Protein backbone atom coordinates (compact mmCIF):
# COMPACT_ATOMS: atom_id res chain seq x y z
CA UNK A 1 0.00 0.00 0.00
CA UNK A 2 1.33 3.46 -0.89
CA UNK A 3 2.33 5.69 1.98
CA UNK A 4 -0.36 8.25 1.30
CA UNK A 5 -3.10 5.64 1.55
CA UNK A 6 -2.27 4.60 5.10
CA UNK A 7 -4.59 5.92 7.78
CA UNK A 8 -3.32 7.73 10.89
CA UNK A 9 -3.43 5.92 14.23
CA UNK A 10 -6.58 6.20 16.30
CA UNK A 11 -5.04 5.35 19.68
CA UNK A 12 -3.60 7.22 22.63
CA UNK A 13 0.10 7.94 22.12
CA UNK A 14 3.16 9.10 24.03
CA UNK A 15 4.66 12.24 22.55
CA UNK A 16 7.55 14.61 23.06
CA UNK A 17 7.96 17.96 21.33
CA UNK A 18 9.67 17.94 17.91
CA UNK A 19 13.02 19.70 17.61
CA UNK A 20 13.86 22.08 14.76
CA UNK A 21 17.36 21.85 13.35
CA UNK A 22 17.44 25.52 12.32
CA UNK A 23 18.89 26.77 15.65
CA UNK A 24 21.71 24.20 15.40
CA UNK A 25 23.55 26.48 12.94
CA UNK A 26 24.88 28.78 15.71
CA UNK A 27 26.79 27.97 18.92
CA UNK A 28 24.05 29.59 20.99
CA UNK A 29 21.35 27.65 19.19
CA UNK A 30 23.23 24.37 19.63
CA UNK A 31 23.64 25.05 23.34
CA UNK A 32 19.88 25.52 23.74
CA UNK A 33 19.04 22.49 21.62
CA UNK A 34 21.57 20.41 23.56
CA UNK A 35 19.61 21.08 26.75
CA UNK A 36 16.42 19.76 25.14
CA UNK A 37 18.11 16.75 23.60
CA UNK A 38 19.82 15.90 26.90
CA UNK A 39 16.51 16.04 28.74
CA UNK A 40 14.86 13.81 26.12
CA UNK A 41 17.65 11.26 26.04
CA UNK A 42 17.99 11.00 29.82
CA UNK A 43 14.25 10.76 30.47
CA UNK A 44 12.04 9.77 27.52
CA UNK A 45 14.80 8.06 25.56
CA UNK A 46 13.73 9.45 22.19
CA UNK A 47 12.81 12.67 20.41
CA UNK A 48 11.48 13.91 17.08
CA UNK A 49 13.33 16.02 14.52
CA UNK A 50 11.61 18.17 11.92
CA UNK A 51 13.14 20.60 9.43
CA UNK A 52 15.76 17.92 8.75
CA UNK A 53 16.40 18.76 5.11
CA UNK A 54 14.06 16.35 3.31
CA UNK A 55 10.81 17.69 1.90
CA UNK A 56 7.58 15.67 2.20
CA UNK A 57 7.97 14.79 -1.48
CA UNK A 58 11.51 13.49 -0.94
CA UNK A 59 10.38 11.44 2.03
CA UNK A 60 7.49 9.95 0.07
CA UNK A 61 9.95 9.03 -2.70
CA UNK A 62 12.16 7.21 -0.18
CA UNK A 63 9.18 5.16 0.99
CA UNK A 64 8.42 4.32 -2.65
CA UNK A 65 12.05 3.19 -3.06
CA UNK A 66 11.83 1.26 0.21
CA UNK A 67 8.97 -0.84 -1.13
CA UNK A 68 10.84 -2.02 -4.23
CA UNK A 69 12.99 -4.76 -2.60
CA UNK A 70 9.83 -6.35 -1.20
CA UNK A 71 7.25 -5.96 -3.97
CA UNK A 72 9.39 -6.17 -7.11
CA UNK A 73 11.85 -8.95 -6.23
CA UNK A 74 10.94 -12.62 -6.50
CA UNK A 75 11.29 -14.99 -3.56
CA UNK A 76 14.04 -16.84 -5.41
CA UNK A 77 16.07 -13.68 -5.94
CA UNK A 78 15.53 -12.66 -2.32
CA UNK A 79 17.05 -15.97 -1.26
CA UNK A 80 20.06 -15.27 -3.46
CA UNK A 81 20.64 -11.97 -1.61
CA UNK A 82 19.78 -13.18 1.88
CA UNK A 83 22.04 -12.03 4.68
CA UNK A 84 24.16 -14.40 6.74
CA UNK A 85 23.63 -12.81 10.13
CA UNK A 86 24.32 -15.84 12.30
CA UNK A 87 27.60 -16.59 10.50
CA UNK A 88 29.02 -13.14 9.75
CA UNK A 89 27.30 -10.90 12.31
CA UNK A 90 26.31 -8.57 9.46
CA UNK A 91 22.79 -7.58 8.43
CA UNK A 92 23.69 -6.72 4.85
CA UNK A 93 21.11 -8.09 2.41
CA UNK A 94 17.69 -9.52 3.26
CA UNK A 95 16.50 -10.55 6.66
CA UNK A 96 13.76 -12.86 5.40
CA UNK A 97 10.45 -13.53 7.11
CA UNK A 98 10.31 -16.10 9.93
CA UNK A 99 14.04 -15.89 10.68
CA UNK A 100 13.49 -14.79 14.30
CA UNK A 101 11.63 -16.73 16.96
CA UNK A 102 9.18 -14.46 18.80
CA UNK A 103 7.35 -16.68 21.30
CA UNK A 104 5.54 -20.01 21.71
CA UNK A 105 6.84 -21.39 18.41
CA UNK A 106 5.75 -18.30 16.43
CA UNK A 107 8.29 -16.68 14.12
CA UNK A 108 8.32 -13.13 12.80
CA UNK A 109 6.44 -11.81 9.76
CA UNK A 110 9.01 -9.08 9.21
CA UNK A 111 11.18 -8.66 6.15
CA UNK A 112 13.94 -6.14 5.73
CA UNK A 113 16.60 -5.21 3.25
CA UNK A 114 19.84 -3.69 4.56
CA UNK A 115 22.27 -1.62 2.53
CA UNK A 116 25.64 -0.48 3.88
CA UNK A 117 26.28 3.25 3.49
CA UNK A 118 28.91 2.05 1.00
CA UNK A 119 26.33 0.71 -1.46
CA UNK A 120 29.04 -1.09 -3.45
CA UNK A 121 30.01 -3.29 -0.50
CA UNK A 122 27.60 -6.05 -1.56
CA UNK A 123 25.60 -7.03 -4.62
CA UNK A 124 21.90 -6.12 -4.98
CA UNK A 125 18.83 -7.49 -6.77
CA UNK A 126 18.57 -6.33 -10.36
CA UNK A 127 15.62 -4.00 -9.82
CA UNK A 128 17.37 -2.27 -6.90
CA UNK A 129 20.56 -1.42 -8.82
CA UNK A 130 19.20 1.64 -10.69
CA UNK A 131 18.06 3.03 -7.32
CA UNK A 132 21.48 2.85 -5.68
CA UNK A 133 22.42 6.50 -6.40
CA UNK A 134 19.25 7.62 -4.59
CA UNK A 135 19.88 5.24 -1.70
CA UNK A 136 23.49 6.41 -1.41
CA UNK A 137 22.31 10.05 -1.34
CA UNK A 138 19.80 9.11 1.36
CA UNK A 139 22.56 7.50 3.44
CA UNK A 140 24.87 10.48 3.06
CA UNK A 141 22.08 12.93 3.96
CA UNK A 142 21.24 11.00 7.12
CA UNK A 143 24.88 10.66 8.11
CA UNK A 144 26.08 14.21 7.51
CA UNK A 145 22.92 16.31 7.88
CA UNK A 146 21.06 14.43 10.61
CA UNK A 147 23.41 12.13 12.54
CA UNK A 148 26.37 14.50 12.86
CA UNK A 149 24.29 17.46 14.15
CA UNK A 150 22.68 15.15 16.73
CA UNK A 151 26.08 13.82 17.80
CA UNK A 152 27.30 17.38 18.33
CA UNK A 153 24.35 18.12 20.59
CA UNK A 154 24.99 14.94 22.59
CA UNK A 155 28.65 15.90 23.01
CA UNK A 156 27.65 19.36 24.24
CA UNK A 157 25.29 17.70 26.70
CA UNK A 158 28.28 15.88 28.20
CA UNK A 159 30.38 19.10 28.12
CA UNK A 160 32.76 17.50 25.65
CA UNK A 161 34.22 19.10 22.50
CA UNK A 162 31.48 19.25 19.85
CA UNK A 163 33.22 16.92 17.43
CA UNK A 164 33.87 14.15 19.98
CA UNK A 165 31.17 11.75 18.76
CA UNK A 166 31.39 12.98 15.16
CA UNK A 167 35.03 11.87 15.12
CA UNK A 168 33.84 8.37 16.05
CA UNK A 169 31.46 8.25 13.05
CA UNK A 170 33.46 8.79 9.87
CA UNK A 171 31.38 8.38 6.74
CA UNK A 172 34.19 6.60 4.90
CA UNK A 173 35.56 4.67 7.90
CA UNK A 174 35.23 0.88 8.22
CA UNK A 175 31.90 0.01 9.79
CA UNK A 176 28.38 -1.29 9.35
CA UNK A 177 26.21 1.83 9.50
CA UNK A 178 23.40 1.10 7.09
CA UNK A 179 20.08 2.00 5.50
CA UNK A 180 17.29 -0.41 6.36
CA UNK A 181 14.02 -0.79 4.51
CA UNK A 182 11.57 -2.83 6.57
CA UNK A 183 8.13 -4.30 6.01
CA UNK A 184 5.82 -5.96 8.54
CA UNK A 185 3.06 -8.21 7.24
CA UNK A 186 -0.22 -8.97 9.08
CA UNK A 187 -0.28 -12.17 11.14
CA UNK A 188 -2.95 -14.77 11.78
CA UNK A 189 -5.27 -14.61 14.78
CA UNK A 190 -3.57 -17.70 16.19
CA UNK A 191 -0.12 -16.09 15.93
CA UNK A 192 -1.38 -12.95 17.66
CA UNK A 193 -2.84 -14.96 20.54
CA UNK A 194 0.32 -17.03 21.04
CA UNK A 195 2.53 -13.92 21.20
CA UNK A 196 0.21 -11.58 23.09
CA UNK A 197 0.08 -9.32 20.00
CA UNK A 198 3.84 -8.68 20.25
CA UNK A 199 5.53 -8.55 16.84
CA UNK A 200 9.03 -7.74 18.08
CA UNK A 201 9.97 -8.07 21.74
CA UNK A 202 11.09 -5.12 23.78
CA UNK A 203 14.76 -4.53 23.06
CA UNK A 204 17.45 -1.92 22.63
CA UNK A 205 19.26 -1.19 19.37
CA UNK A 206 22.95 -2.05 19.46
CA UNK A 207 24.36 0.98 17.63
CA UNK A 208 24.76 4.58 18.73
CA UNK A 209 21.81 6.40 17.12
CA UNK A 210 18.79 5.12 15.19
CA UNK A 211 16.98 7.41 12.76
CA UNK A 212 13.43 6.34 11.90
CA UNK A 213 11.28 8.09 9.31
CA UNK A 214 7.92 8.40 11.07
CA UNK A 215 5.42 5.73 9.97
CA UNK A 216 1.65 6.28 9.66
CA UNK A 217 0.75 2.72 10.72
CA UNK A 218 0.96 2.63 14.53
CA UNK A 219 2.90 -0.25 16.10
CA UNK A 220 5.99 1.21 17.80
CA UNK A 221 5.97 1.54 21.57
CA UNK A 222 8.61 2.64 24.09
CA UNK A 223 8.99 1.53 27.69
CA UNK A 224 8.47 4.74 29.64
CA UNK A 225 10.17 5.51 32.97
CA UNK A 226 6.93 4.58 34.77
CA UNK A 227 7.28 1.01 33.45
CA UNK A 228 4.39 1.27 31.01
CA UNK A 229 4.48 0.79 27.24
CA UNK A 230 3.55 4.00 25.39
CA UNK A 231 2.65 4.44 21.72
CA UNK A 232 4.98 6.60 19.64
CA UNK A 233 3.03 9.27 17.79
CA UNK A 234 3.23 9.66 14.02
CA UNK A 235 4.21 13.15 12.84
CA UNK A 236 4.23 13.73 9.08
CA UNK A 237 7.75 14.03 7.67
CA UNK A 238 9.35 13.84 11.10
CA UNK A 239 12.23 11.69 12.28
CA UNK A 240 12.10 9.60 15.44
CA UNK A 241 15.52 9.48 17.09
CA UNK A 242 16.63 7.04 19.77
CA UNK A 243 19.90 5.96 21.35
CA UNK A 244 21.29 2.43 21.29
CA UNK A 245 23.65 0.35 23.42
CA UNK A 246 26.83 1.85 22.00
CA UNK A 247 25.77 5.38 22.94
CA UNK A 248 24.76 4.21 26.41
CA UNK A 249 28.17 2.57 26.85
CA UNK A 250 30.12 5.60 25.58
CA UNK A 251 28.10 8.00 27.74
CA UNK A 252 28.55 5.91 30.88
CA UNK A 253 24.81 5.32 31.09
CA UNK A 254 23.98 9.04 30.90
CA UNK A 255 22.14 8.64 27.59
CA UNK A 256 20.05 5.52 27.97
CA UNK A 257 19.44 3.04 25.18
CA UNK A 258 15.73 3.22 24.40
CA UNK A 259 13.75 0.07 25.18
CA UNK A 260 11.14 -0.29 22.46
CA UNK A 261 8.96 -2.94 20.87
CA UNK A 262 6.58 -3.46 17.95
CA UNK A 263 3.04 -4.70 18.54
CA UNK A 264 -0.08 -5.39 16.50
CA UNK A 265 -1.48 -2.11 15.14
CA UNK A 266 -4.84 -0.72 16.31
CA UNK A 267 -7.94 -2.48 14.90
CA UNK A 268 -8.48 -0.01 12.04
CA UNK A 269 -4.95 -0.67 10.72
CA UNK A 270 -4.52 -4.40 11.24
CA UNK A 271 -4.98 -5.36 7.59
CA UNK A 272 -2.18 -3.09 6.36
CA UNK A 273 1.47 -3.85 5.83
CA UNK A 274 3.82 -1.51 7.68
CA UNK A 275 6.64 -0.08 5.60
CA UNK A 276 9.63 1.62 7.20
CA UNK A 277 12.83 3.49 6.31
CA UNK A 278 15.69 3.69 8.81
CA UNK A 279 19.29 4.73 9.22
CA UNK A 280 21.11 2.64 11.84
CA UNK A 281 24.27 4.43 12.93
CA UNK A 282 27.25 2.79 14.55
CA UNK A 283 30.62 4.20 15.48
CA UNK A 284 33.68 3.17 13.51
CA UNK A 285 34.47 -0.51 13.99
CA UNK A 286 37.63 0.10 16.05
CA UNK A 287 36.05 2.41 18.63
CA UNK A 288 36.21 0.90 22.11
CA UNK A 289 32.83 1.31 23.80
CA UNK A 290 34.16 2.49 27.15
CA UNK A 291 32.74 5.53 29.01
CA UNK A 292 34.20 8.90 28.06
CA UNK A 293 35.56 9.56 31.54
CA UNK A 294 36.90 12.98 30.52
CA UNK A 295 33.32 14.30 30.48
CA UNK A 296 32.84 16.84 33.30
CA UNK A 297 29.19 15.75 33.46
CA UNK A 298 30.10 12.11 34.08
CA UNK A 299 32.66 13.18 36.66
CA UNK A 300 29.84 14.97 38.53
CA UNK A 301 26.97 12.47 38.18
CA UNK A 302 28.97 9.24 38.08
CA UNK A 303 29.24 6.42 35.58
CA UNK A 304 26.92 3.43 35.30
CA UNK A 305 29.15 0.67 34.01
CA UNK A 306 27.94 -2.44 32.19
CA UNK A 307 31.48 -3.90 32.17
CA UNK A 308 34.98 -3.03 33.33
CA UNK A 309 36.58 -0.41 31.08
CA UNK A 310 39.47 -2.67 30.09
CA UNK A 311 36.95 -5.30 28.94
CA UNK A 312 34.85 -2.94 26.86
CA UNK A 313 34.09 -4.41 23.41
CA UNK A 314 34.84 -2.55 20.21
CA UNK A 315 31.91 -1.50 18.06
CA UNK A 316 32.73 -4.35 15.68
CA UNK A 317 32.72 -6.93 18.47
CA UNK A 318 29.46 -5.66 19.93
CA UNK A 319 27.53 -5.42 16.64
CA UNK A 320 28.66 -8.88 15.54
CA UNK A 321 27.68 -10.40 18.87
CA UNK A 322 24.26 -8.75 18.94
CA UNK A 323 23.53 -9.39 15.26
CA UNK A 324 24.41 -13.08 15.24
CA UNK A 325 22.54 -13.81 18.48
CA UNK A 326 19.32 -11.87 17.99
CA UNK A 327 16.27 -14.11 17.64
CA UNK A 328 18.52 -17.17 17.40
CA UNK A 329 20.02 -17.79 20.82
CA UNK A 330 18.51 -19.51 23.85
CA UNK A 331 17.16 -16.99 26.36
CA UNK A 332 16.80 -17.33 30.12
CA UNK A 333 13.31 -16.31 31.18
CA UNK A 334 12.81 -14.28 34.37
CA UNK A 335 9.15 -13.29 34.49
CA UNK A 336 8.46 -10.84 31.66
CA UNK A 337 12.19 -10.40 30.97
CA UNK A 338 14.39 -12.75 28.92
CA UNK A 339 18.16 -12.54 29.22
CA UNK A 340 21.29 -13.57 27.36
CA UNK A 341 25.00 -12.87 27.77
CA UNK A 342 26.83 -11.29 24.81
CA UNK A 343 30.53 -10.45 25.13
CA UNK A 344 30.18 -10.56 28.89
CA UNK A 345 27.29 -8.08 28.92
CA UNK A 346 23.79 -8.99 30.11
CA UNK A 347 21.27 -8.21 27.35
CA UNK A 348 17.58 -8.10 28.20
CA UNK A 349 14.49 -8.64 26.05
CA UNK A 350 11.12 -7.47 27.33
CA UNK A 351 8.19 -9.69 26.42
Amino acid sequence: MALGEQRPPSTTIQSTSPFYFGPATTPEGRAELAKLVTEAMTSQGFFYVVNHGYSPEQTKRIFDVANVPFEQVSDAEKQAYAGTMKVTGSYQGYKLRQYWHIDNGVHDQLEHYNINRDVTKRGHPEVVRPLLPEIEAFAKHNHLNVLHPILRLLAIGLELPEETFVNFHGYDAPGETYVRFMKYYPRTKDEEEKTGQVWLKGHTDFGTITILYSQPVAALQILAPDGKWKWVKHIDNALVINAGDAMEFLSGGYYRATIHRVVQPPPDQQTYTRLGAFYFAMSDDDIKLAPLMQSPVLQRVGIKRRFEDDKAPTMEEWRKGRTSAYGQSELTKKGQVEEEMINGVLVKHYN
Side-chain angles (χ1 to χ4, degrees):
M1 165 168 272
L3 179 67
E5 296 172 316
Q6 295 172 335
R7 290 181 285 175
S10 60
T11 55
T12 302
I13 49 82
Q14 171 73 15
S15 173
T16 190
S17 298
F19 298 152
Y20 292 82
F21 261 3
T25 57
T26 67
E28 297 78 14
R30 288 194 293 277
E32 288 303 310
L33 275 180
K35 294 177 184 177
L36 297 174
V37 168
T38 297
E39 170 61 24
M41 295 302 258
T42 55
S43 59
Q44 297 291 340
F46 83 106
F47 59 90
Y48 299 96
V49 169
V50 295
N51 191 31
H52 48 75
Y54 257 34
S55 68
E57 293 73 24
Q58 287 174 299
T59 297
K60 182 181 183 303
R61 172 60 183 172
I62 284 300
F63 275 88
D64 290 340
V65 169
N67 207 27
V68 170
F70 310 118
E71 297 302 315
Q72 298 185 32
V73 179
S74 69
D75 288 343
E77 193 173 13
K78 287 177 182 178
Q79 288 286 350
Y81 290 96
T84 53
M85 288 77 76
K86 195 171 179 65
V87 176
T88 63
S90 170
Y91 270 122
Q92 303 313 308
Y94 281 99
K95 198 293 295 177
L96 299 172
R97 292 160 74 173
Q98 300 196 341
Y99 179 76
W100 292 329
H101 176 252
I102 303 301
D103 207 6
N104 292 321
V106 177
H107 287 71
D108 69 277
Q109 291 296 343
L110 164 63
E111 191 170 49
H112 49 72
Y113 189 66
N114 305 286
I115 306 171
N116 190 280
R117 63 179 179 243
D118 176 3
V119 299
T120 67
K121 194 169 183 178
R122 197 176 193 270
H124 303 278
E126 184 175 359
V127 72
V128 173
R129 295 168 201 164
L131 302 172
L132 290 177
E134 288 184 78
I135 296 170
E136 182 177 33
F138 178 67
K140 186 166 288 188
H141 169 74
N142 280 284
H143 202 97
L144 302 180
N145 301 330
V146 180
L147 173 65
H148 278 185
I150 289 170
L151 293 175
R152 291 186 181 102
L153 298 177
L154 293 174
I156 292 170
L158 287 172
E159 298 177 17
L160 292 167
E162 282 192 21
E163 300 300 303
T164 299
F165 289 126
V166 170
N167 292 336
F168 293 171
H169 293 74
Y171 186 78
D172 297 318
E176 280 285 308
T177 293
Y178 56 91
V179 172
R180 172 178 291 176
F181 300 139
M182 183 185 299
K183 196 164 189 176
Y184 285 89
Y185 297 83
R187 303 192 307 187
T188 66
K189 182 179 179 181
D190 181 62
E191 288 175 325
E192 297 293 3
E193 290 176 350
K194 287 182 177 179
T195 60
Q197 291 77 50
V198 173
W199 286 10
L200 201 60
K201 295 175 184 177
H203 64 284
T204 56
D205 295 334
F206 54 81
T208 49
I209 295 294
T210 299
I211 301 168
L212 159 67
Y213 281 68
S214 188
Q215 298 161 279
V217 175
L220 180 62
Q221 296 181 333
I222 65 165
L223 187 61
D226 63 5
K228 297 180 180 179
W229 291 103
K230 306 289 187 179
W231 294 90
V232 173
K233 178 182 179 179
H234 168 61
I235 300 177
D236 284 338
N237 200 36
L239 309 179
V240 180
I241 309 297
N242 69 264
D245 294 339
M247 181 56 68
E248 181 173 308
F249 298 162
L250 289 168
S251 69
Y254 191 66
Y255 299 129
R256 66 187 187 93
T258 311
I259 301 169
H260 56 288
R261 70 177 184 179
V262 180
V263 298
Q264 185 183 34
D268 62 337
Q269 296 184 333
Q270 289 176 5
T271 60
Y272 301 149
T273 56
R274 184 172 182 267
L275 182 65
F278 300 75
Y279 193 67
F280 282 90
M282 280 164 264
S283 68
D284 304 343
D285 269 353
D286 62 353
I287 296 297
K288 202 167 185 63
L289 302 180
L292 297 174
M293 298 176 61
Q294 68 269 34
S295 162
V297 172
L298 295 187
Q299 291 172 18
R300 291 197 300 269
V301 304
I303 294 173
K304 298 176 183 177
R305 285 181 168 82
R306 298 280 295 276
F307 37 70
E308 295 300 320
D309 293 358
D310 61 348
K311 296 181 180 178
T314 63
M315 185 72 254
E316 181 179 22
E317 291 168 340
W318 185 246
R319 69 168 173 80
K320 285 184 174 181
R322 283 290 311 268
T323 300
S324 61
Y326 190 82
Q328 298 288 301
S329 61
E330 290 294 325
L331 303 178
T332 302
K333 290 191 177 184
K334 293 186 177 181
Q336 295 300 307
V337 177
E338 298 174 326
E339 301 177 342
E340 61 182 334
M341 292 295 294
I342 298 178
N343 286 333
V345 180
L346 184 66
V347 177
K348 296 182 179 182
H349 305 266
Y350 300 80
N351 201 356

